[in-house]
Amino acid sequence: MRVTAITYHRFLALTGAALFFALLWVMPAQAVRIKDIAGFGGVRDNQLIGYGLVVGLQGTGDKKDSTFTMRSMVSMLEKMGVSVDLKQMKPKNVAAVMVTARMPVSAKPGSRMDVTVSSMGDATSLLGGVLLQTPLKGLDGNIYAMAQGPLILGGFNVQGNQAESMKNITTVGLMPGGATVERGVPFDFNSQSALLLHMYNPDFSTTQQVASRLNNLLGGSFARALDVGTVELTVPGDFQGNLVPLMASIENLDITPDMPAKVVVDEKTGTIVLGQGVRISRVAVAHGNLEVTIREGFDVSQPGPFSGGSTAVTPNTQIGQEEEIRRLNIVEGATLQELVDGLNAVGATPRDVISILRTIKAAGALHAALEVI
């Protein structure tokens, strides 16, 4: 009975493993949702910006040379009926700031959104500050939101006469829910008779695949690819005036993106990213480092006693070179793993790989676009 039980459990384990791998085989390879590779026309954020003052700082505000801060204080106080002299203003507890926010297209009057407050003068810290009422305008010059309230900083800055301690940036603060929407964007989403899908990474194969998947879902020729990165979808009659159920069905469709082979190189950090479709024809690679060292020195010649000579200084230059001896290695990449293994076999560092890839590209053996950023 014991042997039978062990055999039975093994059978269940093997059956479960087989079922798991069978499901993996059925599922599309590297499938992603449409909403992860494309955006819908009209569904976007709108940038808002405003100029304001942060008060309540502990002597870390703008200095007296920041004339725009003092003029802003005078203008604000005069609107409140307080007459002040510009020459007597000391704005060390006040900082002029720019306030930015991203307003969703669905935002309605009364809803709240986050804002970012950034110093634009010579203030050293916004810690403990409170933003005064600041109107936020859009590109058309209209006011869409009002921001006011205390700031949240992710760091601190403490200074003494001979030392300073600082953590993170103290001249940029956040205000979660710090702005109230006063006006909505004039856009009626449900009134659209056609939708546009914009691919984040334009590709003809991926765009056509999206159009085909949409037509299969809706059971008709409702979608068509306009160009390399745009799909136009005619709204079916059943969803006219009620696009939310249609969007919920569309954005969760699985797509397998097909992107061109590309190698991206960042020479500043030595980062190399190779796409899945990168291939290398059979080539022989030898990579060695040549190091040349030049040392400059001086030799001093002292004359003998009572010789009547003078001290002479002569330059002494020493040049040395050292070159690594590397053998030729055959590199061929039919798959990404083979390509990586071949480059590792050369024993090259990431910065060496950059030079190797450039040389292989010049030889015509690298079948991918090489992009240097």
Side-chain angles (χ1 to χ4, degrees):
M1 291 296 294
R2 185 178 181 183
V3 176
T4 304
I6 294 176
T7 305
Y8 177 70
H9 288 301
R10 283 185 177 178
F11 173 76
L12 287 180
L14 292 175
T15 304
L19 180 60
F20 173 74
F21 286 111
L23 291 175
L24 289 181
W25 181 263
V26 173
M27 292 177 61
Q30 299 179 353
V32 298
R33 298 170 299 181
I34 285 183
K35 64 180 176 181
D36 297 327
I37 63 172
F40 295 91
V43 183
R44 45 159 289 183
D45 293 336
N46 297 275
Q47 305 293 334
L48 304 181
I49 190 171
Y51 170 80
L53 294 174
V54 172
V55 298
L57 303 178
Q58 194 172 5
T60 59
D62 292 338
K63 306 302 183 291
K64 200 169 183 178
D65 295 336
S66 301
T67 56
F68 56 87
T69 303
M70 294 192 296
R71 292 183 183 276
S72 300
M73 293 171 57
V74 171
S75 176
M76 177 192 64
L77 293 174
E78 288 180 348
K79 290 180 180 179
M80 295 182 177
V82 180
S83 180
V84 295
D85 185 4
L86 179 62
K87 297 181 180 179
Q88 297 180 355
M89 296 295 295
K90 296 180 180 180
K92 64 178 181 178
N93 293 338
V94 183
V97 295
M98 297 301 297
V99 184
T100 56
R102 298 174 60 181
M103 178 180 174
V105 69
S106 59
K108 297 296 186 291
S111 60
R112 305 189 69 86
M113 59 183 180
D114 302 340
V115 297
T116 302
V117 181
S118 307
S119 172
M120 61 177 300
D122 53 2
T124 57
S125 176
L126 299 180
L127 182 64
V130 176
L131 176 70
L132 299 182
Q133 192 176 68
T134 302
L136 302 180
K137 299 182 179 181
L139 187 61
D140 55 2
N142 294 323
I143 297 176
Y144 286 92
M146 298 294 293
Q148 180 172 278
L151 275 64
I152 297 178
L153 270 69
F156 61 86
N157 186 6
V158 180
Q159 294 182 353
N161 293 330
Q162 302 295 331
E164 178 181 1
S165 177
M166 182 177 66
K167 177 182 179 182
N168 297 336
I169 303 299
T170 58
T171 54
V172 177
L174 299 177
M175 296 176 56
T180 303
V181 177
E182 302 293 339
R183 175 189 300 181
V185 177
F187 175 68
D188 189 1
F189 178 73
N190 281 321
S191 64
Q192 299 179 98
S193 60
L195 299 173
L196 292 179
L197 278 74
H198 305 288
M199 302 294 112
Y200 297 147
N201 296 303
D203 180 80
F204 284 110
S205 300
T206 304
T207 303
Q208 183 58 42
Q209 185 184 164
V210 170
S212 300
R213 290 283 285 144
L214 292 176
N215 289 330
N216 293 336
L217 173 69
L218 300 175
S221 300
F222 296 97
R224 66 189 184 99
L226 298 181
D227 51 40
V228 64
T230 307
V231 175
E232 183 184 44
L233 174 64
T234 301
V235 178
D238 296 339
F239 295 98
Q240 291 286 346
N242 187 23
L243 298 183
V244 175
L246 175 63
M247 299 290 287
S249 301
I250 290 175
E251 66 180 7
N252 288 302
L253 282 179
D254 288 333
I255 301 295
T256 304
D258 186 9
M259 302 304 297
K262 181 181 291 187
V263 178
V264 181
V265 173
D266 186 354
E267 285 194 310
K268 297 183 291 295
T269 61
T271 303
I272 307 168
V273 178
L274 289 80
Q276 180 65 33
V278 177
R279 301 291 184 268
I280 288 183
S281 298
R282 191 177 182 88
V283 291
V285 177
H287 182 77
N289 294 324
L290 176 62
E291 180 180 357
V292 178
T293 304
I294 300 177
R295 297 179 179 177
E296 292 284 355
F298 296 93
D299 294 334
V300 180
S301 176
Q302 291 284 1
F306 308 105
S307 63
S310 61
T311 302
V313 179
T314 57
N316 181 15
T317 302
Q318 297 180 356
I319 299 177
Q321 63 180 14
E322 181 180 355
E323 183 176 6
E324 295 184 13
I325 300 177
R326 298 283 182 88
R327 297 182 179 179
L328 284 171
N329 287 271
I330 302 298
V331 177
E332 182 178 11
T335 65
L336 181 59
Q337 185 62 47
E338 294 176 355
L339 172 58
V340 173
D341 292 340
L343 293 175
N344 289 336
V346 181
T349 64
R351 295 194 179 275
D352 294 333
V353 173
I354 294 176
S355 301
I356 293 174
L357 290 175
R358 280 182 168 179
T359 308
I360 294 177
K361 180 66 175 179
L366 176 61
H367 308 299
L370 182 60
E371 180 178 349
V372 180
I373 59 176

